[in-house]
Amino acid sequence: ARTAAVIPAAGRGVRLGPGAPKALRALGGTPMLVHAVRAMAASRAVSLVVVVAPPDGAPEVRALLDDHPLTGHDRAEVLVVPGGETRQESVRLGLAALPADVATVLVHDAARPLVPVDTVDAVIAAVREGAPAVVPALPLADTVKQVGPRTGAAEGEPELVTGTPERALLRAVQTPQGFDRRTLDAAHEKFAAQEGEGATDDAGMVERLGAPVVLVPGHEEAFKVTRPLDLVLAEAVLARRRA
Ligand code: C5P
């Protein structure tokens, strides 16, 4: 049975500032999405990568990936499918493109271009050892506050703190998240109709199914490129790797 990676790359990247869709922005002269595809294909276990493009952007993404072919032992088949309005919908459309012989699925944000292959392999190994869902995670540096709902608060009113969860019991989670394929399919089928922004990660949907989700150590370099400062950090990490 094969292991495949689904890369949702249909987000606009509004928080990064104006410009091209986030996945297509350059990092060290190469589009972020190309780094993310290489990071998945770098694992010898991954033989297929499904990239989920913006809804009207599949031909452009296909052309971009053809311009940056995988080489050497990073060889894997790369499919491109059009995505949806939310991350959750984009992942569901990517899962629908997987062939029947795929038993293990990784879901990896295009916005985490620098995840090291050892992290990818650790996630795959834990799924193959029997965990239905596996998430790379790190302890938090910041203390986190819970805030009250904004509904009813006037514009410009300060937010009110309603609680402080114990930091030692919190983890920041990253991708790739790894899944037994049937478990993830079932979660996406069950929660497809939910309203709003959708799930911000896939393991959360598996938790709602009642299946166990296990953690493996995350990696600092698997950080998500979200805001402009993250681009500065990503360029510095790349420069250090190339030195
Ligand atoms: O917005 P956020 O940073 O959480 O996005 C995480 C990942 O989900 C990114 O790789 C983004 O391209 C992807 N995404 C998507 N389809 C959407 C929204 C986000 O594939 N509609």
Side-chain angles (χ1 to χ4, degrees):
R2 298 164 84 189
T3 295
V6 172
I7 303 184
R12 284 184 298 274
V14 177
R15 288 168 293 179
L16 204 53
K22 177 158 71 175
L24 308 186
R25 311 264 188 119
L27 210 59
T30 303
M32 189 135 55
L33 173 61
V34 173
H35 289 283
V37 171
R38 287 178 181 162
M40 296 300 103
S43 168
R44 298 177 61 165
V46 173
S47 62
L48 171 67
V49 180
V50 176
V51 173
V52 188
D56 55 359
E60 185 189 355
V61 167
R62 177 79 260 172
L64 179 101
L65 292 169
D66 289 343
D67 281 349
H68 299 83
L70 296 170
T71 54
H73 58 269
D74 288 358
R75 217 180 296 273
E77 185 188 349
V78 180
L79 294 178
V80 178
V81 300
E85 283 309 305
T86 63
R87 183 187 182 285
Q88 183 180 331
E89 193 183 349
S90 294
V91 173
R92 182 158 47 81
L93 292 166
L95 291 175
L98 294 178
D101 64 346
V102 171
T104 299
V105 190
L106 302 177
V107 181
H108 182 60
D109 291 331
R112 300 183 189 271
L114 301 178
V115 58
V117 68
D118 287 353
T119 304
V120 180
D121 284 337
V123 170
I124 294 169
V127 177
R128 288 183 172 178
E129 282 159 23
V134 179
V135 175
L138 290 176
L140 297 188
D142 294 319
T143 295
V144 172
K145 298 290 184 192
Q146 175 109 38
V147 296
R150 294 295 287 159
T151 42
E155 195 62 35
E157 291 259 304
E159 287 185 305
L160 274 183
V161 170
T162 58
T164 306
E166 186 183 341
R167 187 174 61 189
L169 295 180
L170 298 174
R171 298 289 179 270
V173 303
Q174 304 178 322
T175 72
Q177 298 184 349
F179 303 91
D180 162 62
R181 191 256 181 97
R182 278 180 303 182
T183 304
L184 188 59
D185 278 348
H188 273 271
E189 234 166 80
K190 179 154 184 187
F191 301 118
Q194 91 187 158
E195 305 278 310
E197 196 194 3
T200 55
D201 85 329
D202 297 275
M205 299 171 60
V206 171
E207 289 156 39
R208 289 170 60 195
L209 275 187
V213 174
V214 307
L215 302 183
V216 296
H219 197 286
E220 277 189 299
E221 295 183 2
F223 68 94
K224 188 158 74 164
V225 177
T226 304
R227 289 166 292 239
L229 188 61
D230 300 322
L231 277 175
V232 178
L233 180 60
E235 293 285 359
V237 170
L238 264 186
R240 188 174 66 181
R241 284 186 189 176
R242 286 168 180 176

